[in-house]
Amino acid sequence: MCTSKRQMRLGAFIMATGHHIAAWRHPEAQADAGLNIDHYRELAQTAERGKFDLVFVADSPAGWDRAKDHEALRRTAQGAHFEPLTLWAALSQVTKHIGFVATASTTYEDPYLLARRFASLDYISKGRAAWNVVTTGADVSKNFSIAGHPAHADRYERAEEFVDLVKGLWDSYEDDAFIRDKESGVYLDPDKVHLVDHKGKFFSVAGPLNVGRPVQGYPVIVQAGASEPGRELAARTAEMIFTANQTFEDAQEFYSDVKGRLARYGRRPDELLISPGIFPVLGGTEAEAQANYDHIQSLVHPSIAWNILARHYKGIDLSGYSLDDPAPPLPENTELNKSRLKLVSDLVSRNNLTLRQFYLAVATARGHRTVVGTPEQIADAMQSWFENGAADAFNIMPPILPTALTDFVDQVVPILRKRGLFRHEYEGTTLRENLGLQRPPNGFVVQARQQQVQAVV
Amino acid sequence: MCTSKRQMRLGAFIMATGHHIAAWRHPEAQADAGLNIDHYRELAQTAERGKFDLVFVADSPAGWDRAKDHEALRRTAQGAHFEPLTLWAALSQVTKHIGFVATASTTYEDPYLLARRFASLDYISKGRAAWNVVTTGADVSKNFSIAGHPAHADRYERAEEFVDLVKGLWDSYEDDAFIRDKESGVYLDPDKVHLVDHKGKFFSVAGPLNVGRPVQGYPVIVQAGASEPGRELAARTAEMIFTANQTFEDAQEFYSDVKGRLARYGRRPDELLISPGIFPVLGGTEAEAQANYDHIQSLVHPSIAWNILARHYKGIDLSGYSLDDPAPPLPENTELNKSRLKLVSDLVSRNNLTLRQFYLAVATARGHRTVVGTPEQIADAMQSWFENGAADAFNIMPPILPTALTDFVDQVVPILRKRGLFRHEYEGTTLRENLGLQRPPNGFVVQARQQQVQAVV
């Protein structure tokens, strides 16, 4: 065992009943998971027992319309679930170490209110908050009294301004602003409170925030976009990227491309951790793992199969096809975002899939890497990417919850640990410390120092 | 002891270091309270030990500007604190019975996002969420990329539409929409999912919400406005009003006025609970209570005294005055809202206060009723209002936290209980049940039933 080796980071990507689209039907799944706080409590505590760095939830501010998404509503468990910030605030009180990544949209949230909530979560959790910055690919404008969904480029431009503004608001109070001297009656030094006075293309916000500077300086910034502007935004602002790659070559290309972009923003490669998703299907033997995989695949109802296909083949008549026909090329005009479209298109063409194989591949892990095997084989699959420039971390996507997370913690984590790849104990008290990320200095303080230096020169 | 008597409800209005403006300087105060989660945890658990119905926090989405509010920032503890929804989500996991009232603004929040967060909190807390609906009196538009602060009448009109819309979103899923039958693969009945399809003056929102119908149907709706449109909005939509009354006569007038408005909305008087604030200063004897009061008043720094006076006498030159001169009449053009202005104006004229007495009265409890005395005297003061048509409940405003809440629970609550006025155990599992409020039916279901009846007729 060698503990000075570079260490792998682990996230548990929690999706209510599990990542498989039919997970909720599995005998081991918690069918009401999306709105069952005791279930999420168990998941966070299991992940913490495994010394995971973080738990992660996806999010979109919209529900499913019964007219348009009838079968998806009827047969999947994904329509109703907790809002991430309230969920993580709750779970921070029943855990001590694990970090919390909440997904929130720069297209549909308000920057002042969101900055406050993340700052509040960071205090409540004593420095364990992270924000997965998304621009929301799907059009959910119907819920927000606005004219329509902004185009891709506009969303990224807005995201950039939004993140900068939020960081400015988090800097409202300098770290040592609070004096709290009961004797003299001085509570804080007003000279250490700043207005952000932001006037940009999308926002005009004065500030200051009404929360102190977050425990971590800023909550950890996570991103998930893989498009060109997504990669660039990540290189400039993200500290962790959650990514979807099927093959080692794709993962390596993504890894080296994004790491290569950091220098132009004055950043070192280790200031941004790259975390591919992985969907592990475990078994005591290979045959057992395969049987577990086949079992859960068998739970996909045929109407959901055709529903998945229809969503991917929008505008194409599939009525002449059977599920065992080869999958035709995917059209461009789907509801998928570009990077997701490329991922599934590659999947189809690379493996010459039938329509059945295609919907099963999508049902499994929505385009993420699937590994079916023994605990040793899962560990091997992770180690090879980790040691060959394709990953710094992994976002584990358990097929069925809670059991597949428990199995991973009990069966795979000990192997990673034995190989010296993963921690025995948490290193720090904040998420940032555990991830090996630095606490950012206050932008106003940095600026003032630069002005002083210039004045002296 | 008579337990069939009408029962008093109790809320703990929690304000970081305590309600007195100089509370943080008191030796017993937790000086960093605003951002100390362990402190709030202790408060919620203390209130629950006392079988309080609820804890309550005020809120405004703005911080203090060091240029404009220099002395307030420098000498008070109120500039930085938790955001209510994340705070209550956290504390719901370390309590079992107590309800959580979060203040949130219909002027500055988004209805879809807020509906989600409250629904999420209601699930997380297993039915203990409440929303204190405020329109935000102070102009905080500078933080929200909008042209300016809406006028009073516009804010109330918007509030009305906002609350109706949020209730509609909470009704997105019927209570029995979820089937979750693993065998047949039917997760829910799509016919029991509704679009709110709201198109109003201020908002256009389709829905559905992506959270199930809240455990309580709707979180309990609380309001605090005392203006004419505030009273009317409360009569139409609120289930509890938090009010500020100095005198029994005012409290009784308010109580009978608001209760009298309910009938025109088809509501019974017991569907709306009226809860005046009370600022109790306790002592083992009257003399001790007075000494405690004098001690905390002595902690107000002179510069804060003049700061308080300047805010109330905006536009009036007080430089010729000493603190022992009689307080002149208050001007109309303060930053105070109308009902608050009336309250403090009455205070000045009723008692012929000096400027010192005036600022001390405001510093104490911001216009709320102050009672200085023994535990028996505090209980008497509450009982007389409760039994004579001036209150159904009280929002207890402890001068210093955490100790003044602990003292109230240990010294006053047992007396109320002995007199048969207050519970020994929680009656129900949800806040609604403990408050004796009915669970509202789903609006879509009610509408459909009405249409059926009309069709038959």
Side-chain angles (χ1 to χ4, degrees), chain A residues 79-357:
Chain A
H81 46 81
F82 294 118
E83 181 278 330
L85 280 156
T86 41
L87 175 63
W88 290 153
L91 297 184
S92 72
Q93 299 308 294
V94 295
T95 54
K96 277 193 178 345
H97 301 284
I98 200 157
F100 297 100
V101 188
T103 297
S105 170
T106 53
T107 304
Y108 293 104
E109 293 274 350
D110 171 84
Y112 193 91
L113 298 178
L114 196 68
R116 268 189 92 188
R117 289 187 168 118
F118 271 107
S120 191
L121 178 62
D122 207 43
Y123 274 98
I124 285 170
S125 64
K126 300 184 179 175
R128 296 185 282 144
W131 172 22
N132 180 34
V133 179
V134 297
T135 70
T136 307
D139 180 354
V140 299
S141 58
K142 68 189 177 72
N143 292 333
F144 292 92
S145 311
I146 55 173
H149 188 55
H152 190 269
D154 286 341
R155 294 204 309 275
Y156 273 87
E157 201 184 348
R158 183 183 157 106
E160 198 159 330
E161 186 181 331
F162 194 118
V163 173
D164 287 347
L165 166 54
V166 164
K167 285 183 179 175
L169 288 166
W170 285 334
D171 285 336
S172 294
Y173 288 77
E174 292 183 26
D175 289 317
D176 57 353
F178 294 95
I179 297 164
R180 299 186 182 115
D181 178 30
K182 291 187 177 186
E183 194 49 47
S184 66
V186 175
Y187 192 77
L188 92 129
D189 179 352
D191 291 340
K192 295 187 171 172
V193 181
H194 301 274
L195 295 178
V196 64
D197 262 340
H198 174 92
K199 282 187 187 66
K201 180 172 170 186
F202 298 91
F203 305 106
S204 292
V205 175
L209 203 62
N210 52 2
V211 189
R213 189 157 195 259
V215 176
Q216 298 181 99
Y218 310 146
V220 175
I221 303 291
V222 181
Q223 269 167 252
S227 66
E228 177 60 31
R231 290 177 187 209
E232 205 57 29
L233 181 63
R236 194 168 88 82
T237 65
E239 300 172 286
M240 181 172 245
I241 302 189
F242 173 45
T243 172
N245 296 115
Q246 289 277 344
T247 67
F248 174 69
E249 291 68 29
D250 280 357
Q252 216 179 24
E253 182 279 325
F254 182 83
Y255 188 97
S256 60
D257 176 76
V258 173
K259 294 268 184 178
R261 292 172 192 243
L262 290 166
R264 78 178 76 144
Y265 299 105
R267 302 180 71 196
R268 294 190 318 275
D270 64 354
E271 293 180 50
L272 173 60
L273 302 169
I274 295 185
S275 182
I278 182 168
F279 179 94
V281 184
L282 276 168
T285 62
E286 268 190 68
E288 201 179 295
Q290 190 60 47
N292 288 339
Y293 187 57
D294 293 342
H295 175 216
I296 185 154
Q297 295 286 48
S298 75
L299 300 175
V300 182
H301 194 275
S303 73
I304 277 294
W306 285 110
N307 184 265
I308 291 170
L309 293 172
R311 268 189 290 143
H312 286 84
Y313 287 98
K314 211 156 203 182
I316 293 183
D317 180 14
L318 292 177
S319 59
Y321 284 79
S322 93
L323 288 177
D324 296 311
D325 287 330
L330 285 163
E332 288 283 333
N333 59 338
T334 67
E335 287 178 5
L336 305 177
N337 65 42
K338 285 183 195 166
S339 40
R340 174 55 52 95
L341 178 65
K342 181 182 179 310
L343 199 77
V344 291
S345 291
D346 287 356
L347 187 72
V348 169
S349 58
R350 190 167 53 242
N351 302 312
N352 296 314
L353 301 181
T354 64
L355 281 172
R356 184 189 308 280
Q357 288 166 326

Side-chain angles (χ1 to χ4, degrees), chain B residues 159-180:
Chain B
E160 198 159 331
E161 186 181 331
F162 194 116
V163 172
D164 287 347
L165 166 54
V166 164
K167 285 182 177 173
L169 287 166
W170 285 334
D171 285 337
S172 294
Y173 289 77
E174 292 183 25
D175 288 318
D176 58 352
F178 294 94
I179 297 163
R180 301 188 182 113

Side-chain angles (χ1 to χ4, degrees), chain B residues 15 18-23 76 78 246 279 293 296-301 304-305 308-309 311-312 340 344 347 355-368 370 397-399:
Chain B
M15 188 127 169
H19 279 273
H20 193 280
I21 200 166
T76 76
Q78 290 158 22
Q246 289 278 344
F279 179 93
Y293 187 57
I296 186 153
Q297 294 286 49
S298 75
L299 300 175
V300 182
H301 193 277
I304 278 294
I308 292 170
L309 293 172
R311 269 190 290 142
H312 286 83
R340 174 57 52 95
V344 290
L347 187 72
L355 282 172
R356 184 189 309 281
Q357 288 167 327
F358 174 64
Y359 89 67
L360 286 174
V362 175
T364 306
R366 303 184 310 285
H368 283 276
T370 299
M397 302 166 64

Side-chain angles (χ1 to χ4, degrees), chain B residues 104-145:
Chain B
S105 170
T106 53
T107 304
Y108 293 104
E109 293 275 351
D110 171 84
Y112 192 91
L113 298 178
L114 196 68
R116 268 190 93 188
R117 290 190 167 114
F118 272 107
S120 191
L121 178 63
D122 207 42
Y123 274 98
I124 285 170
S125 65
K126 300 183 178 176
R128 296 185 282 144
W131 172 21
N132 180 33
V133 179
V134 297
T135 69
T136 307
D139 180 354
V140 298
S141 58
K142 69 189 175 74
N143 292 333
F144 292 92
S145 311

Side-chain angles (χ1 to χ4, degrees), chain B residues 435-453:
Chain B
L435 290 175
L437 297 169
Q438 292 203 322
R439 187 176 188 278
N442 187 309
F444 291 107
V445 176
V446 171
Q447 210 179 4
R449 265 194 221 125
Q450 284 167 348
Q451 282 165 357
Q452 273 184 333
V453 170

Side-chain angles (χ1 to χ4, degrees), chain B residues 222-249:
Chain B
V222 181
Q223 268 167 252
S227 65
E228 177 59 34
R231 290 177 185 207
E232 204 58 28
L233 181 63
R236 194 169 87 81
T237 66
E239 300 171 286
M240 180 173 247
I241 302 189
F242 173 44
T243 173
N245 295 114
Q246 289 278 344
T247 66
F248 175 70
E249 291 68 30

Side-chain angles (χ1 to χ4, degrees), chain A residues 25-26 29 31 38 59-60 66 73-74 81 116 126 142-143 145 182-183 187-188 190-191 204 206-207 210, chain B residues 25-26 29 31 38 59-60 66 73-74 81 116 126 142-143 182-183 187-188 190-191 204 206-207 210:
Chain A
R25 296 185 68 186
H26 195 281
D38 296 330
D59 193 60
S60 175
R66 74 179 183 197
L73 256 181
R74 189 167 145 82
H81 46 81
R116 268 189 92 188
K126 300 184 179 175
K142 68 189 177 72
N143 292 333
S145 311
K182 291 187 177 186
E183 194 49 47
Y187 192 77
L188 92 129
D191 291 340
S204 292
N210 52 2
Chain B
R25 296 186 68 187
H26 195 280
D38 296 330
D59 193 59
S60 175
R66 76 180 181 196
L73 256 181
R74 188 167 145 83
H81 45 80
R116 268 190 93 188
K126 300 183 178 176
K142 69 189 175 74
N143 292 333
K182 291 186 177 188
E183 195 49 49
Y187 192 77
L188 97 142
D191 291 340
S204 291
N210 53 1

